[in-house]
Short mmCIF file of all heavy atoms in Angstrom, two decimals:
data_model
loop_
_atom_site.label_atom_id
_atom_site.label_comp_id
_atom_site.label_asym_id
_atom_site.label_seq_id
_atom_site.Cartn_x
_atom_site.Cartn_y
_atom_site.Cartn_z
N GLU F 1 117.13 114.92 126.18
CA GLU F 1 116.95 116.39 126.18
C GLU F 1 118.29 117.05 125.84
O GLU F 1 119.32 116.51 126.20
CB GLU F 1 116.47 116.86 127.55
CG GLU F 1 115.09 116.33 127.90
CD GLU F 1 113.98 116.87 127.01
OE1 GLU F 1 114.15 117.96 126.41
OE2 GLU F 1 112.97 116.21 126.88
N PRO F 2 118.35 118.13 125.16
CA PRO F 2 117.27 118.96 124.67
C PRO F 2 116.99 118.75 123.18
O PRO F 2 116.56 119.65 122.49
CB PRO F 2 117.80 120.36 124.91
CG PRO F 2 119.27 120.23 124.60
CD PRO F 2 119.63 118.83 125.09
N TYR F 3 117.24 117.56 122.65
CA TYR F 3 117.06 117.28 121.23
C TYR F 3 115.61 116.93 120.93
O TYR F 3 115.00 116.15 121.64
CB TYR F 3 117.98 116.14 120.80
CG TYR F 3 119.43 116.44 121.09
CD1 TYR F 3 120.03 116.01 122.27
CD2 TYR F 3 120.20 117.16 120.18
CE1 TYR F 3 121.36 116.30 122.53
CE2 TYR F 3 121.52 117.45 120.44
CZ TYR F 3 122.10 117.02 121.61
OH TYR F 3 123.40 117.30 121.87
N ARG F 4 115.08 117.51 119.86
CA ARG F 4 113.70 117.27 119.47
C ARG F 4 113.61 117.24 117.94
O ARG F 4 114.39 117.90 117.27
CB ARG F 4 112.77 118.38 119.98
CG ARG F 4 112.62 118.44 121.44
CD ARG F 4 111.40 117.64 121.83
NE ARG F 4 111.08 117.91 123.22
CZ ARG F 4 111.13 116.98 124.15
NH1 ARG F 4 111.48 115.77 123.88
NH2 ARG F 4 110.81 117.28 125.38
N ALA F 5 112.62 116.53 117.42
CA ALA F 5 112.34 116.54 115.99
C ALA F 5 110.84 116.41 115.77
O ALA F 5 110.15 115.71 116.50
CB ALA F 5 113.08 115.38 115.31
N TRP F 6 110.34 117.15 114.78
CA TRP F 6 108.94 117.09 114.39
C TRP F 6 108.89 116.77 112.92
O TRP F 6 109.56 117.42 112.11
CB TRP F 6 108.24 118.42 114.65
CG TRP F 6 108.19 118.78 116.10
CD1 TRP F 6 107.19 118.50 116.98
CD2 TRP F 6 109.19 119.50 116.85
NE1 TRP F 6 107.50 119.00 118.22
CE2 TRP F 6 108.72 119.63 118.17
CE3 TRP F 6 110.43 120.05 116.53
CZ2 TRP F 6 109.44 120.26 119.17
CZ3 TRP F 6 111.16 120.67 117.52
CH2 TRP F 6 110.67 120.78 118.82
N ALA F 7 108.10 115.76 112.54
CA ALA F 7 108.03 115.33 111.15
C ALA F 7 106.65 115.56 110.56
O ALA F 7 105.64 115.43 111.26
CB ALA F 7 108.42 113.85 111.05
N THR F 8 106.64 115.90 109.31
CA THR F 8 105.42 116.04 108.51
C THR F 8 104.36 116.87 109.23
O THR F 8 103.41 116.33 109.80
CB THR F 8 104.86 114.64 108.14
OG1 THR F 8 105.93 113.81 107.71
CG2 THR F 8 103.85 114.76 107.01
N PHE F 9 104.53 118.15 109.19
CA PHE F 9 103.58 119.05 109.85
C PHE F 9 103.29 120.25 108.97
O PHE F 9 104.01 120.52 107.99
CB PHE F 9 104.07 119.49 111.23
CG PHE F 9 105.34 120.32 111.15
CD1 PHE F 9 105.26 121.72 111.12
CD2 PHE F 9 106.58 119.73 111.13
CE1 PHE F 9 106.41 122.49 111.07
CE2 PHE F 9 107.74 120.50 111.07
CZ PHE F 9 107.64 121.89 111.04
N GLN F 10 102.24 120.97 109.30
CA GLN F 10 101.86 122.19 108.59
C GLN F 10 101.83 123.35 109.57
O GLN F 10 101.56 123.16 110.75
CB GLN F 10 100.48 122.05 107.96
CG GLN F 10 100.37 121.04 106.89
CD GLN F 10 98.96 120.98 106.33
OE1 GLN F 10 98.00 121.37 106.96
NE2 GLN F 10 98.85 120.51 105.10
N PHE F 11 102.09 124.54 109.05
CA PHE F 11 101.94 125.76 109.84
C PHE F 11 101.52 126.89 108.89
O PHE F 11 101.81 126.84 107.71
CB PHE F 11 103.22 126.12 110.61
CG PHE F 11 104.38 126.50 109.73
CD1 PHE F 11 104.61 127.85 109.43
CD2 PHE F 11 105.24 125.55 109.23
CE1 PHE F 11 105.69 128.22 108.63
CE2 PHE F 11 106.31 125.92 108.43
CZ PHE F 11 106.54 127.25 108.12
N THR F 12 100.84 127.85 109.45
CA THR F 12 100.39 128.99 108.66
C THR F 12 101.33 130.16 108.92
O THR F 12 101.56 130.55 110.07
CB THR F 12 98.96 129.38 109.03
OG1 THR F 12 98.12 128.23 108.84
CG2 THR F 12 98.45 130.52 108.15
N GLY F 13 101.91 130.71 107.86
CA GLY F 13 102.81 131.83 107.99
C GLY F 13 102.04 133.12 108.21
O GLY F 13 100.81 133.18 108.08
N ASP F 14 102.75 134.20 108.54
CA ASP F 14 102.12 135.50 108.73
C ASP F 14 101.40 135.97 107.47
O ASP F 14 100.46 136.75 107.54
CB ASP F 14 103.17 136.55 109.16
CG ASP F 14 103.66 136.31 110.58
OD1 ASP F 14 102.98 135.57 111.34
OD2 ASP F 14 104.70 136.86 110.94
N SER F 15 101.83 135.48 106.33
CA SER F 15 101.21 135.83 105.06
C SER F 15 99.86 135.16 104.87
O SER F 15 99.11 135.49 103.95
CB SER F 15 102.14 135.44 103.91
OG SER F 15 102.25 134.01 103.86
N GLY F 16 99.56 134.19 105.74
CA GLY F 16 98.34 133.40 105.60
C GLY F 16 98.54 132.14 104.77
O GLY F 16 97.65 131.32 104.64
N ARG F 17 99.74 131.97 104.24
CA ARG F 17 100.06 130.82 103.42
C ARG F 17 100.29 129.59 104.30
O ARG F 17 100.98 129.66 105.30
CB ARG F 17 101.35 131.14 102.64
CG ARG F 17 101.78 130.09 101.69
CD ARG F 17 103.04 130.62 100.95
NE ARG F 17 103.51 129.64 100.03
CZ ARG F 17 104.25 128.59 100.39
NH1 ARG F 17 104.60 128.41 101.61
NH2 ARG F 17 104.62 127.72 99.49
N VAL F 18 99.69 128.46 103.93
CA VAL F 18 99.89 127.20 104.65
C VAL F 18 101.14 126.53 104.10
O VAL F 18 101.27 126.33 102.89
CB VAL F 18 98.68 126.28 104.50
CG1 VAL F 18 98.94 124.94 105.18
CG2 VAL F 18 97.43 126.93 105.08
N ASN F 19 102.08 126.24 104.99
CA ASN F 19 103.34 125.62 104.62
C ASN F 19 103.37 124.18 105.14
O ASN F 19 103.00 123.93 106.27
CB ASN F 19 104.53 126.37 105.24
CG ASN F 19 104.64 127.78 104.72
OD1 ASN F 19 105.07 127.99 103.62
ND2 ASN F 19 104.22 128.74 105.52
N GLU F 20 103.85 123.28 104.31
CA GLU F 20 104.08 121.91 104.72
C GLU F 20 105.58 121.72 104.91
O GLU F 20 106.35 122.17 104.07
CB GLU F 20 103.56 120.92 103.70
CG GLU F 20 102.06 120.92 103.57
CD GLU F 20 101.59 119.87 102.57
OE1 GLU F 20 102.42 119.17 101.98
OE2 GLU F 20 100.37 119.80 102.38
N SER F 21 105.97 121.07 106.00
CA SER F 21 107.38 120.80 106.24
C SER F 21 107.58 119.33 106.51
O SER F 21 106.75 118.69 107.13
CB SER F 21 107.89 121.63 107.42
OG SER F 21 107.91 122.99 107.08
N ASP F 22 108.71 118.83 106.05
CA ASP F 22 109.02 117.42 106.24
C ASP F 22 109.63 117.14 107.60
O ASP F 22 109.26 116.18 108.26
CB ASP F 22 109.97 116.93 105.14
CG ASP F 22 109.34 116.99 103.77
OD1 ASP F 22 108.13 116.77 103.67
OD2 ASP F 22 110.07 117.26 102.80
N LEU F 23 110.56 117.99 108.03
CA LEU F 23 111.25 117.71 109.29
C LEU F 23 111.82 119.00 109.88
O LEU F 23 112.46 119.77 109.18
CB LEU F 23 112.38 116.72 109.04
CG LEU F 23 113.12 116.14 110.23
CD1 LEU F 23 112.17 115.37 111.15
CD2 LEU F 23 114.22 115.20 109.76
N LEU F 24 111.57 119.22 111.17
CA LEU F 24 112.15 120.35 111.91
C LEU F 24 112.90 119.73 113.08
O LEU F 24 112.34 118.95 113.85
CB LEU F 24 111.08 121.29 112.43
CG LEU F 24 111.57 122.48 113.26
CD1 LEU F 24 112.36 123.45 112.39
CD2 LEU F 24 110.39 123.19 113.92
N ILE F 25 114.20 120.04 113.19
CA ILE F 25 115.04 119.47 114.22
C ILE F 25 115.55 120.60 115.11
O ILE F 25 116.04 121.61 114.63
CB ILE F 25 116.24 118.73 113.61
CG1 ILE F 25 115.76 117.57 112.74
CG2 ILE F 25 117.18 118.21 114.69
CD1 ILE F 25 116.85 116.86 111.97
N ALA F 26 115.42 120.42 116.44
CA ALA F 26 115.92 121.37 117.43
C ALA F 26 117.08 120.70 118.18
O ALA F 26 116.91 119.63 118.77
CB ALA F 26 114.83 121.76 118.40
N VAL F 27 118.25 121.32 118.09
CA VAL F 27 119.43 120.83 118.78
C VAL F 27 120.11 122.02 119.46
O VAL F 27 119.68 123.16 119.30
CB VAL F 27 120.42 120.12 117.81
CG1 VAL F 27 119.79 118.88 117.21
CG2 VAL F 27 120.87 121.05 116.70
N LEU F 28 121.15 121.77 120.20
CA LEU F 28 121.84 122.86 120.91
C LEU F 28 122.33 123.94 119.95
O LEU F 28 122.36 125.10 120.30
CB LEU F 28 123.01 122.29 121.71
CG LEU F 28 122.60 121.42 122.91
CD1 LEU F 28 123.86 120.80 123.54
CD2 LEU F 28 121.83 122.21 123.92
N GLY F 29 122.70 123.56 118.74
CA GLY F 29 123.23 124.51 117.77
C GLY F 29 122.18 125.32 117.03
O GLY F 29 122.51 126.21 116.25
N GLY F 30 120.90 125.02 117.22
CA GLY F 30 119.85 125.78 116.55
C GLY F 30 118.73 124.91 116.02
O GLY F 30 118.60 123.75 116.39
N LEU F 31 117.95 125.50 115.14
CA LEU F 31 116.83 124.82 114.50
C LEU F 31 117.20 124.56 113.04
O LEU F 31 117.75 125.42 112.37
CB LEU F 31 115.57 125.67 114.53
CG LEU F 31 114.93 125.88 115.90
CD1 LEU F 31 113.78 126.88 115.78
CD2 LEU F 31 114.42 124.57 116.45
N TYR F 32 116.82 123.39 112.55
CA TYR F 32 117.09 123.01 111.17
C TYR F 32 115.80 122.54 110.52
O TYR F 32 115.13 121.65 111.03
CB TYR F 32 118.16 121.91 111.11
CG TYR F 32 119.47 122.37 111.66
CD1 TYR F 32 119.77 122.24 113.01
CD2 TYR F 32 120.41 122.96 110.83
CE1 TYR F 32 120.97 122.70 113.53
CE2 TYR F 32 121.61 123.43 111.33
CZ TYR F 32 121.89 123.27 112.69
OH TYR F 32 123.07 123.73 113.19
N LEU F 33 115.45 123.17 109.40
CA LEU F 33 114.27 122.80 108.63
C LEU F 33 114.74 121.99 107.43
O LEU F 33 115.52 122.49 106.61
CB LEU F 33 113.53 124.05 108.17
CG LEU F 33 112.25 123.83 107.38
CD1 LEU F 33 111.19 123.15 108.26
CD2 LEU F 33 111.72 125.16 106.86
N LEU F 34 114.31 120.75 107.34
CA LEU F 34 114.72 119.87 106.24
C LEU F 34 113.54 119.57 105.33
O LEU F 34 112.44 119.29 105.80
CB LEU F 34 115.26 118.54 106.78
CG LEU F 34 116.67 118.58 107.33
CD1 LEU F 34 116.71 119.18 108.69
CD2 LEU F 34 117.23 117.20 107.36
N GLU F 35 113.78 119.66 104.06
CA GLU F 35 112.81 119.26 103.05
C GLU F 35 113.37 118.02 102.39
O GLU F 35 114.49 118.03 101.86
CB GLU F 35 112.60 120.37 102.03
CG GLU F 35 111.90 121.58 102.59
CD GLU F 35 110.47 121.30 103.03
OE1 GLU F 35 109.75 120.52 102.36
OE2 GLU F 35 110.06 121.87 104.05
N LEU F 36 112.63 116.96 102.42
CA LEU F 36 113.09 115.67 101.90
C LEU F 36 112.44 115.40 100.54
O LEU F 36 111.23 115.60 100.38
CB LEU F 36 112.76 114.55 102.87
CG LEU F 36 113.23 114.78 104.31
CD1 LEU F 36 112.71 113.70 105.23
CD2 LEU F 36 114.74 114.86 104.37
N LYS F 37 113.22 114.95 99.60
CA LYS F 37 112.73 114.60 98.26
C LYS F 37 113.16 113.19 97.94
O LYS F 37 114.29 112.80 98.22
CB LYS F 37 113.25 115.59 97.20
CG LYS F 37 112.91 117.03 97.47
CD LYS F 37 111.42 117.24 97.52
CE LYS F 37 111.07 118.64 97.97
NZ LYS F 37 109.80 118.72 98.64
N GLY F 38 112.28 112.43 97.33
CA GLY F 38 112.56 111.04 97.05
C GLY F 38 112.62 110.76 95.55
O GLY F 38 111.91 109.90 95.07
N HIS F 39 113.44 111.49 94.84
CA HIS F 39 113.56 111.28 93.40
C HIS F 39 114.81 110.44 93.12
O HIS F 39 115.91 110.82 93.51
CB HIS F 39 113.68 112.63 92.67
CG HIS F 39 112.51 113.52 92.89
ND1 HIS F 39 111.29 113.30 92.32
CD2 HIS F 39 112.36 114.63 93.64
CE1 HIS F 39 110.44 114.23 92.69
NE2 HIS F 39 111.07 115.06 93.49
N PRO F 40 114.63 109.31 92.46
CA PRO F 40 115.80 108.47 92.15
C PRO F 40 116.64 109.05 91.03
O PRO F 40 116.18 109.92 90.28
CB PRO F 40 115.15 107.14 91.72
CG PRO F 40 113.85 107.55 91.14
CD PRO F 40 113.39 108.74 91.96
N GLY F 41 117.86 108.59 90.93
CA GLY F 41 118.72 108.99 89.82
C GLY F 41 119.66 110.13 90.16
O GLY F 41 119.86 110.47 91.32
N ARG F 42 120.16 110.75 89.14
CA ARG F 42 121.13 111.84 89.26
C ARG F 42 120.39 113.16 89.15
O ARG F 42 119.48 113.32 88.34
CB ARG F 42 122.14 111.71 88.12
CG ARG F 42 123.23 112.73 88.09
CD ARG F 42 124.24 112.41 86.98
NE ARG F 42 123.63 112.33 85.68
CZ ARG F 42 123.58 113.35 84.80
NH1 ARG F 42 124.10 114.52 85.14
NH2 ARG F 42 123.02 113.21 83.62
N VAL F 43 120.77 114.14 89.98
CA VAL F 43 120.15 115.45 89.92
C VAL F 43 121.16 116.47 89.37
O VAL F 43 122.36 116.42 89.69
CB VAL F 43 119.63 115.91 91.31
CG1 VAL F 43 120.76 116.09 92.31
CG2 VAL F 43 118.83 117.18 91.20
N VAL F 44 120.67 117.35 88.51
CA VAL F 44 121.50 118.41 87.91
C VAL F 44 120.82 119.74 88.17
O VAL F 44 119.63 119.89 87.89
CB VAL F 44 121.68 118.19 86.39
CG1 VAL F 44 122.50 119.31 85.78
CG2 VAL F 44 122.30 116.84 86.10
N ASN F 45 121.57 120.67 88.73
CA ASN F 45 121.04 122.01 89.04
C ASN F 45 121.27 122.90 87.82
O ASN F 45 122.39 123.06 87.35
CB ASN F 45 121.76 122.57 90.26
CG ASN F 45 121.26 123.95 90.65
OD1 ASN F 45 120.59 124.63 89.91
ND2 ASN F 45 121.63 124.38 91.84
N HIS F 46 120.17 123.50 87.33
CA HIS F 46 120.25 124.45 86.23
C HIS F 46 119.81 125.84 86.68
O HIS F 46 119.13 126.54 85.95
CB HIS F 46 119.38 123.97 85.05
CG HIS F 46 119.88 122.72 84.40
ND1 HIS F 46 121.00 122.69 83.59
CD2 HIS F 46 119.42 121.45 84.46
CE1 HIS F 46 121.21 121.47 83.16
NE2 HIS F 46 120.27 120.69 83.69
N GLY F 47 120.13 126.21 87.91
CA GLY F 47 119.76 127.52 88.44
C GLY F 47 118.31 127.54 88.89
O GLY F 47 118.03 127.17 90.03
#
């Protein structure tokens, strides 16, 4: 305690939109929402 993590869950936002999340972590410093992607290779950001 007080560390918690929830993996692969859905929630409905106030907009009515269903959101899928990969990982939500609760620690003393706050909540962290992580989206995990499994793409191999090099990634380049083009905005």
Side-chain angles (χ1 to χ4, degrees):
E1 294 295 336
Y3 302 94
R4 293 266 192 244
W6 296 268
T8 315
F9 64 94
Q10 294 180 337
F11 67 93
T12 304
D14 289 343
S15 66
R17 184 177 179 280
V18 176
N19 296 285
E20 292 182 0
S21 291
D22 295 326
L23 188 60
L24 179 68
I25 299 174
V27 296
L28 292 174
L31 291 173
Y32 297 89
L33 182 65
L34 282 77
E35 292 295 323
L36 308 173
K37 303 299 173 209
H39 301 287
R42 181 175 58 95
V43 64
V44 178
N45 180 346
H46 293 287

